[in-house]
Amino acid sequence: MKRVAIVGGHGKIALSLAELLTSRGHHVHSLIRKPEQEADISATGAMPVIADVEQLSAEELSEIFTGHDAVVFSAGAGGGSPERTYSVDRDAAIRTMDAAAHAGVMRYVMVSYKGAGLDHGVPEDNDFFAYAEAKAEADEHLRKGPLHYTIVGPGSLSSEPASGTIGLGEDANDENTSRENVAHVLADVIDADNTIGQTIEFTNGPTQISEAIAAIR
C-alpha cells in the first residue's frame, strides 16, 4: 500500500490511474485546480487536493507531497498558448520535481510522449514546438536530478478502452496508444523498481502490460 500524489488529477489518464491505484489498495491524492472537479476525483476513490501547480512554489508543493511514496506528473497545458505550455509542462513540472526531492519523495513518474527529447526535431514554426521543447527540458531536468524516476512515453493518445497490451521497442509501431493503457502502465510502473532510471516508449501492441513492464531492464 502506497501513498501516491497525482499532479493533473482531472485529466483522463489521471482519472483512470486514480481508479486503478485505489482498487489496488493505494491511497491517492489527486491535485486539481478547480473545486467543481472534486466530485470526479472522489468518484475514483481518490482524495481531491485543490492545488494550482502553475501558481504554487516548490516549497508549497513540498508540503503537499510530504508523507507520500510517489509522485506522478500527468498535468499539461493542453495545447494552450506557448507561454502557458512552458509554464505548466516545463516550469511547473520542474518545481514538482524539486518539491518531491525536498519532501523526500524519491519515486517520481513523468508522463511524456514517444519521441520526446532535446533532439525532437520539431521546427520552431510548428504549433507543437513549445510542447516539444517544454517536455524535453522537463525530462532532462528529471534525468539529471536525484529522483528515482521513470519517464513514460506513449504514442498518439486515443480514447478506446484499455486492451491491456502494449508494444515496446520494435513492437511500438501502432499509430495509437489508449489513454487507459497508459494508466495501466503507470499503475504497474509505480510498483516496478526495475523501471527506475528508464524511459519507456510504447504504443498499443501485442504484449500484456504486466509482462512488458516486468521485462524492462
Side-chain angles (χ1 to χ4, degrees):
M1 183 186 301
K2 294 182 178 178
R3 290 169 58 88
V4 181
I6 301 176
V7 181
H10 197 253
K12 293 177 182 178
I13 291 172
L15 289 168
S16 294
L17 175 61
E19 191 167 7
L20 282 171
L21 291 175
T22 58
S23 72
R24 298 182 185 187
H26 298 306
H27 293 295
V28 178
H29 291 89
S30 292
L31 279 62
I32 53 177
R33 289 190 302 128
K34 302 175 181 178
E36 55 265 34
Q37 297 170 338
E38 288 183 295
D40 291 338
I41 301 301
S42 297
T44 69
M47 291 287 294
V49 178
I50 304 297
D52 186 347
V53 296
E54 193 176 1
Q55 303 298 327
L56 293 177
S57 66
E59 291 76 14
E60 291 168 322
L61 288 164
S62 178
E63 293 179 8
I64 294 172
F65 293 157
T66 296
H68 288 82
D69 300 297
V71 172
V72 178
F73 189 90
S74 189
S81 67
E83 291 77 17
R84 185 153 190 272
T85 297
Y86 286 118
S87 178
V88 176
D89 292 279
R90 182 189 63 192
D91 301 341
I94 288 172
R95 283 198 302 277
T96 66
M97 299 169 202
D98 296 344
H102 186 265
V105 185
M106 299 308 294
R107 191 69 175 106
Y108 188 103
V109 181
M110 166 64 77
V111 179
S112 189
Y113 71 94
K114 185 173 181 287
L118 296 175
D119 57 349
H120 55 75
V122 178
E124 287 191 39
D125 59 355
N126 189 298
D127 289 343
F128 194 71
F129 179 80
Y131 182 75
E133 281 286 289
K135 295 303 286 186
E137 292 181 41
D139 290 355
E140 190 68 10
H141 184 86
L142 183 56
R143 291 188 180 102
K144 291 181 176 179
L147 297 173
H148 300 165
Y149 74 86
T150 305
I151 297 172
V152 172
S156 298
L157 297 174
S158 58
S159 299
E160 72 263 28
S163 63
T165 58
I166 58 172
L168 300 175
E170 293 181 356
D171 291 330
N173 53 20
D174 196 292
E175 290 185 3
N176 297 316
T177 311
S178 160
R179 288 180 176 85
E180 290 187 5
N181 278 343
V182 178
H184 279 271
V185 168
L186 293 168
D188 283 3
V189 159
I190 286 170
D191 287 325
D193 288 349
N194 62 299
T195 67
I196 291 173
Q198 300 282 352
T199 298
I200 305 170
E201 295 193 329
F202 64 98
T203 63
N204 294 339
T207 307
Q208 289 291 327
I209 290 172
S210 58
E211 293 178 15
I213 298 305
I216 292 171
R217 294 291 183 271

